[in-house]
Amino acid sequence: VSMLLLAGCQPAAHREGQVPAAESAVTALTPLPPLPVAGSAHYVVDGEASDVRILAFRGGPLAKVGHNHVVRIHDLSGDIYLAPEFLKSGFALKFPVAKLQVDPADARADEGAEFAVMPSPQAIDGTYKNMTGPALLDAQQYPEITLHSVALIGPAWGPEATVRVKLHGVERDLLVPLAINGGGDNLTVTGMFTMKTSEFGITPFSVLGGGLQVLDEVKVRFNIVAHKN
């Protein structure tokens, strides 16, 4: 998702047990498959019920004076299509950069000790302005982030999706593991992956000559709820 850099980060990318970074699925982007496939069940994403968050971690010699950050995605919208032949299913999602929420207290509490110290309101406001400003996500020039399925492989309950992410004007295909539950009137898709912001043309935030920085790799955790249309 976002793909945010704030002011603080502790190495998450190479800790034991870390989820592997989402990998580029292809070097040359193929045309997106048309949606929906005939006979598909149509589900509409419930942005209020869904919870998508990006975890950014502090780094550098002065990391201890910074913070790790949780950024929650608001106003997620889109469509999911379950095809009669499951591997032909697909989705299209989007959300506005300007509506990203930095460090909601409940989300920080969920994420444990690394997020236990709550930043001040001034620090949160500064982080939001840095993140959405022209040096990073540039919400004015690139107001929206989109995700579109390219292909699915694996079983219906736990496939891997090749997902085309358009962020900061750059499109890349990432391989994302999914867990899918439901299929009647309601559908839930959950998962977690890591990605590098530099792959989307974003230079990770850094101050004090690199003494305090945001790590290039961020973790994306998602629980997407959708209802049958």
Side-chain angles (χ1 to χ4, degrees), residues 57-162:
F57 297 85
R58 65 189 180 216
L62 301 177
K64 288 185 178 180
V65 304
H67 295 91
N68 299 326
H69 294 278
V70 181
V71 179
R72 176 176 281 157
I73 291 171
H74 273 291
D75 288 359
L76 178 71
S77 62
D79 303 279
I80 301 172
Y81 301 96
L82 289 187
E85 185 179 341
F86 174 74
L87 295 183
K88 293 183 179 180
S89 301
F91 56 85
L93 308 173
K94 63 181 180 179
F95 60 91
V97 174
K99 292 294 185 70
L100 294 171
Q101 181 185 13
V102 176
D103 289 324
D106 59 333
R108 289 187 66 89
D110 289 342
E111 300 298 339
E114 291 179 305
F115 299 86
V117 178
M118 188 74 181
S120 69
Q122 293 81 3
I124 290 173
D125 182 62
T127 295
Y128 173 82
K129 289 178 179 176
N130 286 334
M131 178 184 68
T132 57
L136 297 178
L137 293 180
D138 198 350
Q140 185 170 1
Q141 184 170 355
Y142 307 108
E144 197 169 71
I145 294 173
T146 63
L147 304 95
H148 199 295
S149 60
V150 179
L152 293 172
I153 58 172
W157 50 266
E160 288 183 323
T162 300

Side-chain angles (χ1 to χ4, degrees), residues 36-51:
V37 172
S40 294
H42 178 202
Y43 292 82
V44 177
V45 171
D46 184 340
E48 290 295 322
S50 299
D51 189 351

Side-chain angles (χ1 to χ4, degrees), residues 12-66:
H14 304 294
R15 292 174 294 181
E16 184 176 355
Q18 175 68 30
V19 176
E23 299 176 355
S24 296
V26 291
T27 54
L29 298 182
T30 59
L32 289 171
L35 290 176
V37 172
S40 294
H42 178 202
Y43 292 82
V44 177
V45 171
D46 184 340
E48 290 295 322
S50 299
D51 189 351
V52 183
R53 56 185 73 172
I54 298 97
L55 310 183
F57 297 85
R58 65 189 180 216
L62 301 177
K64 288 185 178 180
V65 304

